[in-house]
């Protein structure tokens, strides 16, 4: 295995350094690194860049240092020298990815459980250096990731897809990896992207779209060399690479007549293919699979179940320590809208829960955090609480498919924090960490929002979501606002700019929800592109994405008593809470119940008045955001200032359109006037 030589190539002119500017602070710190290993070399390169930009100097030998970076296996050896006086015993028992920050008389020691842990510890110290707290705090801080697998999925195509573009559901330009049907010649930005991910704790990436086309399928075989090049870059940051694979690859690439997982020839083809991959990439992470979903092939074609399909692939990579991530996003996308008994929300549970205990140990079932499709508000998927015999991953979307497509400022960490903290035994019972989502999953995964755009994420503020995902995957107990402050402190120099950006983003998810689909009903977006309002756009389609608004009321009856029975997929107390109108949370009311427009929420408002009030309030808040930004835009770097102003102009235009369409639609449907007499278009 090899890694790219360091120091890495300079970031191209015009590309945003994001939250890793060349030097977080200028100063005269004396920094020392003690240790050997591949990621020690990466830490050394990070320190060289830091000191080269004026943050201090690297010292060695017997020279005294202000900050020492080392690994736990060297701690005893250094206890009478560089680590003299530090509480070295507190660093005993660190996990491989864990680290300790020790302080003593103004000096700091960062001790990693391994070279990987030291890399994470370095970035933690760097954030503290940026916000002025590196030398402050307790004598010993101990950190370790809550979840072992923290992964980003790229939905990148090698060539431009005629419908989905080069990056499916991507809003940040083309692919960072591919151009014109091939791997990019210049991968400079990939080096920096890998650094950004490692700095937040991400340790795996999938390199291509889950909807695997014929060209992308060849990454397994004839284009494996492209994967080798990317693996070398990511390896230097402690990140393993994965490939999304087409279940029919034995037919597409191997010339076999079928891809039946029970066919020994099929299993042997996958084993030979895996052997060839691991011969070139010994630390290859494994496969990511979308099967029997939205037209993708899978085991159902051969009368096999998903456990049989997943296990066949898992056994191909198992001798090499590889994993198979098998997506649970399986549902009927040819639903009859007239049939109210069929419910897309039920699908993942109905398909997969009966298979609990049937998956091999190196299969991880990747479950979307909600039962539908990354909506601005959904209940937590009941699948996560119902499969104790299966390894699970919770899947999120950093890319803003349904939350403004990086044209709208929408900070998603509060949403993800709520999901990861959801307790399947109920807040009143307090099941503890073991029954929270964060305690039930082996992996936290998200679809990336990164592309070739000079700001990485389309909207400069969408970088906050990429940063926050990594930080929450590492520690789901972190407060979203604290993460937001970490990001702005790491990214921007001006204190007033930092404060305003925090104010703009802190409640922006709630603001987006206010002016879009109400009370958990979801969707109401333009079909296909999923941007902008179209209240009935999906209402009579086969996709199972309905709101059932009529002249009397709105919402989907998912109760056991009179509806689809979806509430019964939850354990108590949630099954009972969601089943009953008087205990169902207001923010999810229309997801679980069809109610009259005059139904009163827990707040005392009627449903129709809530729709009016939130949509007017949402637009007013966006107007305030635009005005606040204009007061500080001159404090931001010029390219950031221009891009953010452009995006805010579009967000305001779009928010007004959402408000006007939804208030008019429901005024017409309900015949109920706004209590405040505001102008609603007839």
């Amino acid at each position: 295995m090899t890694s790219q030589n360091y120091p890495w190539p300079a970031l191209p002119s015009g590309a945003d350094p994001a939250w890793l500017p060349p030097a977080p602070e200028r100063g005269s710190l004396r920094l020392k690194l003690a240790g050997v290993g591949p990621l020690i070399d990466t830490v050394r390169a990070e320190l060289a860049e830091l000191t080269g930009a004026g943050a201090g100097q690297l010292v060695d030998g017997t020279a005294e240092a202000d900050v020492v970076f080392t690994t736990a296996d060297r701690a005893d050896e250094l206890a009478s020298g560089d680590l003299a006086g530090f509480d070295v015993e507190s660093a005993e028992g660190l996990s491989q990815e864990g680290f300790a920050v020790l302080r003593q008389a103004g000096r700091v020691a960062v001790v990693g459980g391994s070279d990987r842990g030291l890399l994470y510890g370095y970035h933690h110290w760097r954030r503290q250096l940026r916000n002025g707290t590196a030398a402050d705090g307790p004598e010993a801080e101990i950190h370790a990731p809550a979840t072992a697998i923290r992964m980003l999925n790229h939905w990148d195509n090698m060539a431009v897809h005629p419908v989905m573009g080069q990056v499916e559901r991507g809003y940040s330009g083309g692919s960072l990896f591919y151009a014109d049907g091939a791997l990019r010649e210049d991968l400079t930005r990939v080096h920096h992207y890998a650094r950004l991910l490692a700095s937040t704790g991400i340790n795996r990436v999938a390199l291509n779209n889950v909807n695997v086309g014929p060209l992308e399928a060849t990454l397994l075989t004839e284009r494996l060399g492209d994967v080798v090049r990317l693996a070398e870059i990511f390896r230097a940051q402690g990140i393993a690479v994965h490939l999304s694979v087409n279940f029919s690859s034995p037919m597409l690439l191997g010339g076999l007549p079928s891809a039946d997982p029970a066919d020994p020839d099929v299993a042997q083809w996958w084993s030979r293919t895996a052997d060839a991959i691991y011969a070139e990439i010994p630390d290859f992470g494994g496969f990511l699979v979308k099967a029997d979903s939205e037209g993708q092939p899978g085991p159902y074609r051969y009368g096999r179940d998903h456990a049989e399909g997943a296990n066949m692939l898992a056994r191909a990579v198992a001798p090499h320590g590889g994993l198979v991530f098998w997506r649970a996003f399986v549902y009927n996308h040819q639903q009859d809208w007239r049939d109210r008994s069929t419910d897309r929300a039920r699908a993942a549970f109905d398909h997969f829960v009966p298979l609990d205990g049937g998956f091999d140990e190196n299969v991880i079932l990747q479950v979307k955090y909600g039962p539908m499709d990354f909506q601005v508000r959904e209940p937590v998927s009941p699948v996560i609480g119902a499969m104790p015999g299966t390894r699970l991953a919770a899947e999120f979307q950093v890319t803003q498919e349904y939350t403004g497509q990086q044209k709208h400022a929408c900070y998603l960490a509060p949403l993800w924090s709520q999901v990861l903290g959801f307790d399947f035994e109920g807040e009143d019972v307090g099941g503890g960490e073991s029954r929270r989502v964060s305690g039930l999953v082996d992996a936290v995964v998200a679809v990336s929002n990164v592309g070739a755009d000079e700001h990485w994420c389309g909207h400069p503020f969408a970088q906050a979501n990429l940063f926050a995902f990594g930080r929450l995957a590492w520690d789901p107990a972190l407060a979203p606002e604290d993460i937001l402050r970490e990001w702005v402190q790491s990214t921007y120099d001006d204190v007033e700019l930092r404060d305003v950006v925090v104010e703009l983003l802190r409640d922006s998810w709630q603001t987006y929800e206010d002016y879009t689909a109400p009370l958990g009903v979801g969707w109401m977006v333009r079909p296909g592109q999923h941007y902008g309002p179209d209240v009935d756009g999906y209402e009579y389609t086969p996709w199972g994405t309905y709101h059932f608004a009529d002249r009397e009321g709105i919402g989907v009856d998912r109760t056991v008593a009179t509806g689809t029975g979806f509430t019964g997929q939850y354990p108590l107390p949630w099954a009972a809470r969601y089943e009953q109108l008087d205990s169902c949370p207001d923010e999810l009311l229309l997801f679980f119940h069809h109610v009259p427009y005059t139904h009163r929420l827990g707040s005392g408002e009627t449903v129709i008045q809530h729709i009016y009030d939130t949509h007017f309030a949402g637009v007013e808040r966006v107007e305030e955001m635009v005005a606040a930004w204009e007061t500080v835009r001159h404090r931001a770097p010029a390219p950031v200032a221009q891009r953010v102003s452009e995006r805010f102009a579009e967000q305001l235009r779009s928010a007004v359109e959402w408000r006007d369409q939804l208030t008019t639609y429901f005024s017409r449907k309900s015949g109920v006037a706004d209590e405040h007499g505001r102008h609603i278009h007839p």
Side-chain angles (χ1 to χ4, degrees):
M1 288 187 297
T2 62
S3 297
Q4 295 287 337
N5 292 328
Y6 283 88
W8 38 81
L11 192 64
S13 176
D16 189 343
W19 57 85
L20 292 179
E25 291 293 335
R26 299 190 68 82
S28 56
L29 289 172
R30 295 164 299 175
L31 310 173
K32 182 181 288 189
L33 175 63
V36 293
L39 297 186
I40 295 291
D41 293 341
T42 302
V43 176
R44 182 174 290 108
E46 289 284 356
L47 291 171
E49 182 183 71
L50 202 64
T51 56
Q57 61 177 319
L58 275 170
V59 298
D60 54 21
T62 59
E64 187 174 344
D66 301 303
V67 187
V68 177
F69 298 88
T70 191
T71 50
D73 60 351
R74 299 287 305 276
D76 288 343
E77 174 189 338
L78 300 174
S80 59
D82 290 323
L83 297 184
F86 287 102
D87 181 11
V88 175
E89 289 185 1
S90 65
E92 294 178 359
L94 287 171
S95 67
Q96 290 289 297
E97 293 192 312
F99 62 89
V101 179
L102 310 178
R103 297 180 177 88
Q104 189 268 332
R107 298 174 63 233
V108 177
V110 180
V111 181
S114 68
D115 56 347
R116 184 185 297 266
L118 183 59
L119 178 60
Y120 298 140
Y122 161 77
H123 283 294
H124 178 85
W125 170 82
R126 178 183 171 123
R127 286 190 295 270
Q128 292 183 327
L129 182 67
R130 177 73 167 177
N131 65 29
T133 62
D136 302 327
E139 288 187 1
E141 294 178 37
I142 307 298
H143 298 271
T147 308
I149 298 171
R150 307 170 301 280
M151 183 175 180
L152 280 171
N153 294 171
H154 278 263
W155 287 358
D156 294 32
N157 301 310
M158 297 187 71
V160 176
H161 188 277
V163 177
M164 291 299 180
Q166 184 161 27
V167 181
E168 183 165 337
R169 306 307 178 190
Y171 313 104
S172 308
S175 170
L176 202 61
F177 309 140
Y178 315 110
D180 302 320
L183 186 70
R184 289 181 181 272
E185 285 296 323
D186 184 357
L187 296 176
T188 297
R189 292 194 62 195
V190 180
H191 285 273
H192 290 269
Y193 178 53
R195 292 180 63 220
L196 290 171
L197 297 191
S199 75
T200 69
I202 297 298
N203 60 6
R204 293 175 185 250
V205 293
L207 299 173
N208 62 302
N209 192 2
V210 291
N211 293 313
V212 184
L215 178 62
E216 291 76 20
T218 62
L219 289 168
L220 275 175
T221 52
E222 63 189 78
R223 287 182 170 80
L224 180 60
D226 295 346
V227 184
V228 171
R229 284 190 64 196
L230 291 170
E232 289 172 351
I233 294 172
F234 282 106
R235 181 180 301 121
Q237 299 294 339
I239 299 170
V241 301
H242 293 244
L243 284 176
S244 298
V245 298
N246 188 307
F247 193 78
S248 290
S249 290
M251 301 168 68
L252 289 172
L253 306 173
L256 296 183
S258 88
D260 185 350
D263 184 336
D265 290 340
V266 171
Q268 288 171 12
W269 185 90
W270 280 108
S271 292
R272 289 195 303 271
T273 301
D275 290 347
I277 294 171
Y278 281 96
E280 297 293 326
I281 312 171
D283 58 349
F284 180 69
F287 299 143
L288 169 62
V289 188
K290 178 180 180 179
D292 292 315
S293 174
E294 299 180 330
Q296 290 295 306
Y300 282 172
R301 181 174 295 181
Y302 307 99
R304 316 299 179 189
D305 63 32
H306 283 273
E308 292 172 294
N311 291 344
M312 181 268 296
L313 288 173
R315 290 162 193 169
V317 298
H320 309 282
L323 298 173
V324 170
F325 287 79
W326 190 273
R327 296 182 84 230
F329 186 52
V330 178
Y331 68 98
N332 177 10
H333 71 287
Q334 297 179 332
Q335 186 174 327
D336 184 349
W337 61 268
R338 303 167 188 83
D339 176 13
R340 293 204 181 190
S341 66
T342 302
D343 184 2
R344 175 170 166 175
R346 292 186 55 104
F349 191 103
D350 290 341
H351 283 290
F352 288 96
V353 171
L355 302 177
D356 187 36
F359 291 94
D360 284 6
E361 182 62 22
N362 64 324
V363 174
I364 297 181
L365 188 64
Q366 187 164 310
V367 183
K368 291 191 177 188
Y369 71 82
M372 295 297 279
D373 191 14
F374 303 127
Q375 297 303 292
V376 68
R377 176 80 67 174
E378 293 186 50
V380 171
S381 171
V383 175
I384 296 172
M387 298 189 70
T390 303
R391 298 180 71 188
L392 300 175
E395 182 182 7
F396 299 89
Q397 239 189 0
V398 183
T399 192
Q400 293 172 231
E401 179 180 357
Y402 296 101
T403 52
Q405 299 190 358
Q406 281 114 272
K407 297 180 178 72
H408 296 226
C410 184
Y411 178 55
L412 294 170
L415 163 61
W416 303 332
S417 178
Q418 286 184 18
V419 172
L420 290 167
F422 180 83
D423 187 340
F424 274 93
E425 291 192 3
E427 302 103 324
D428 298 337
V429 178
E433 181 59 30
S434 64
R435 292 297 292 165
R436 295 184 192 279
V437 169
S438 59
L440 293 169
V441 298
D442 289 280
V444 181
V445 179
V447 184
S448 177
N449 65 348
V450 168
D453 172 68
E454 59 265 35
H455 297 286
W456 302 97
C457 305
H459 197 313
F461 291 170
Q463 293 176 12
N465 286 328
L466 183 63
F467 180 89
F469 173 74
R471 297 291 286 127
L472 277 172
W474 177 280
D475 184 358
L478 291 173
E481 184 172 344
D482 291 344
I483 297 172
L484 181 57
R485 291 191 182 280
E486 278 188 354
W487 173 73
V488 296
Q489 288 167 346
S490 298
T491 305
Y492 300 120
D493 294 326
D494 187 274
V495 174
E496 186 174 341
L497 175 64
R498 292 174 177 177
D499 290 342
V500 170
V501 173
V502 169
E503 290 301 312
L504 292 174
L505 293 183
R506 182 176 52 205
D507 300 320
S508 55
W509 168 53
Q510 182 63 64
T511 297
Y512 185 86
E513 182 179 22
D514 282 347
Y515 61 75
T516 57
L519 298 171
V521 75
W523 306 96
M524 297 186 176
V525 292
R526 292 194 186 106
Q529 63 175 298
H530 298 166
Y531 184 76
D534 190 344
V535 183
D536 283 337
Y538 273 116
E539 193 62 13
Y540 305 100
T541 71
W543 293 96
T545 50
Y546 313 128
H547 56 70
F548 297 130
D550 55 29
R551 65 182 181 180
E552 302 296 335
I554 180 177
V556 184
D557 185 352
R558 291 189 163 104
T559 65
V560 172
T562 58
T564 69
F566 174 68
T567 58
Q569 292 185 342
Y570 288 89
L572 292 173
W574 293 107
R577 291 183 187 176
Y578 292 149
E579 178 80 7
Q580 301 300 322
L581 266 176
D582 59 358
S583 58
C584 183
D586 283 350
E587 64 270 18
L588 292 171
L589 182 71
L590 301 185
F591 188 94
F592 287 107
H593 296 274
H594 186 89
V595 298
Y597 294 110
T598 54
H599 173 80
R600 291 201 176 273
L601 304 171
S603 65
E605 276 188 316
T606 62
V607 166
I608 187 62
Q609 193 59 45
H610 173 88
I611 292 172
Y612 294 151
D613 287 351
T614 53
H615 283 78
F616 279 101
V619 171
E620 289 168 4
R621 175 58 185 144
V622 175
E623 291 172 339
E624 293 169 356
M625 292 165 72
V626 172
W629 169 249
E630 289 303 315
T631 68
V632 295
R633 64 165 290 172
H634 63 285
R635 297 177 177 272
V640 172
Q642 180 177 347
R643 180 68 66 85
V644 171
S645 291
E646 291 169 354
R647 296 294 159 114
F648 267 138
E650 168 55 20
Q651 183 170 2
L652 180 56
R653 184 210 63 79
S654 181
V656 169
E657 188 67 17
W658 271 99
R659 178 199 65 193
D660 290 350
Q661 284 201 30
L662 267 74
T663 55
T664 293
Y665 179 93
F666 287 108
S667 174
R668 291 175 180 176
K669 281 282 186 183
S670 70
V672 178
D674 173 28
E675 292 176 358
H676 303 295
R678 292 165 291 204
H679 176 67
I680 294 176
H681 294 273

